[in-house]
């Protein structure tokens, strides 16, 4: 099984994305994590034509982006894709989302603007930004692999109702979620 990181118009440098891939692979043991080429501005221009961008909100509609990416990339049973976008997004019933997953489609998205301190008029903090990016990435990939939200506030699969919730989480699954992951992996291996 493989996880592909797909940056889309990202301002992240190659070293940061490589480190992110390495940190994700630590949590998802026995899964290869690769990095795709950064998609360019023309990809977002194309996506705007799908009406996934809401001009009145100046935000992207995450659910439509997920469907668009699914139709464009069509991941298979052995490949999961995590898109990394430097755009602000919202979803049904939520003013904003830090990420969202489409488990049936084998893909997820994280959105970078609101995990940056600068979004809130604060001084940049690269370490805090990177930690949040790892947490959001692993959380959304957890959903892609079929996990639901966990009740433990320190677990990566705990629902973040705010950025403070994200900051409270640790950088890994709780023991219960880790057990679920290994069971899921064993079941997948049996099928193939």
């Amino acid at each position: 099984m493989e996880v592909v990181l797909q940056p889309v118009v990202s301002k992240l440098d190659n070293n940061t994305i490589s480190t992110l891939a390495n940190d994700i692979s630590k949590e998802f043991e026995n899964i290869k994590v690769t990095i795709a080429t950064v998609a360019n501005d023309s990809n977002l221009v194309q996506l705007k034509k799908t009406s996934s961008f809401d001009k009145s909100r100046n935000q992207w509609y995450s659910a439509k982006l997920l469907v668009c990416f699914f139709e464009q990339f069509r991941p298979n049973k052995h490949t999961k894709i995590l898109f990394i976008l430097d755009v602000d997004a919202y979803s049904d019933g939520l003013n904003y989302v830090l990420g969202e997953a489409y488990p049936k489609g084998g893909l997820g998205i994280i959105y970078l603007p609101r995990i940056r301190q600068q979004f809130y008029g604060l001084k940049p903090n690269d370490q805090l930004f990177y930690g949040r990016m790892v947490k959001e990435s692993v959380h959304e990939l957890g959903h892609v692999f079929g996990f639901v939200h966990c009740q433990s506030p320190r677990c990566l699969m705990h629902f973040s109702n705010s950025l403070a919730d994200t900051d409270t989480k640790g950088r890994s699954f709780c023991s219960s979620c880790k057990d679920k992951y290994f069971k899921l992996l064993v079941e997948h291996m049996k099928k193939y």
Side-chain angles (χ1 to χ4, degrees):
M1 195 175 316
E2 176 183 31
V3 168
V4 177
L5 299 183
Q6 176 63 70
V8 180
V9 193
S10 175
K11 298 171 188 158
L12 299 174
D13 59 64
N14 290 339
N15 187 45
T16 301
I17 295 175
S18 293
T19 305
L20 177 63
N22 187 49
D23 284 341
I24 290 170
S25 68
K26 288 176 187 171
E27 201 56 41
F28 292 100
E29 297 173 33
N30 303 314
I31 292 181
K32 180 180 172 183
V33 180
T34 61
I35 303 165
T37 306
V38 176
N40 59 32
D41 287 327
S42 65
N43 293 82
L44 280 184
V45 169
Q46 196 65 25
L47 286 173
K48 278 189 178 182
K49 293 177 182 174
T50 67
S51 71
S52 54
F53 184 73
D54 186 326
K55 289 179 188 175
S56 66
R57 296 177 68 120
N58 197 31
Q59 286 179 299
W60 293 81
Y61 181 44
S62 187
K64 269 193 179 173
L65 280 176
L66 286 164
V67 171
C68 290
F69 284 139
F70 175 74
E71 289 171 355
Q72 184 177 356
F73 289 86
R74 296 276 182 193
N76 61 44
K77 292 178 183 177
H78 303 291
T79 303
K80 311 296 182 194
I81 303 174
L82 180 70
F83 293 89
I84 303 169
L85 276 78
D86 221 337
V87 300
D88 192 25
Y90 72 100
S91 196
D92 296 323
L94 299 169
N95 291 328
Y96 69 89
V97 288
L98 304 176
E100 193 168 8
Y102 186 41
K104 184 174 82 174
L107 53 91
I109 300 177
I110 64 165
Y111 301 103
L112 302 180
R114 289 181 188 259
I115 64 173
R116 285 192 177 95
Q117 292 290 86
Q118 302 92 299
F119 186 87
Y120 308 96
L122 301 171
K123 195 166 100 174
N125 183 329
D126 293 340
Q127 186 176 358
L128 185 59
F129 168 72
Y130 181 76
R132 290 169 174 169
M133 187 170 53
V134 171
K135 292 174 186 183
E136 288 305 315
S137 296
V138 174
H139 179 91
E140 295 310 331
L141 284 168
H143 286 312
V144 170
F145 282 105
F147 284 50
V148 295
H149 287 132
C150 179
Q151 295 300 311
S152 172
R154 298 278 303 146
C155 179
L156 275 175
M157 290 312 300
H158 187 72
F159 176 71
S160 288
N161 198 32
S162 68
L163 199 51
D165 291 338
T166 299
D167 291 341
T168 299
K169 294 179 189 183
R171 281 181 60 167
S172 59
F173 296 125
C174 67
S175 57
S176 175
C177 287
K178 180 115 12 217
D179 288 346
K180 288 177 195 173
Y181 169 71
F182 284 115
K183 287 176 186 171
L184 185 138
L185 195 59
V186 167
E187 287 303 312
H188 179 78
M189 299 292 200
K190 286 180 185 176
K191 292 179 184 176
Y192 303 101

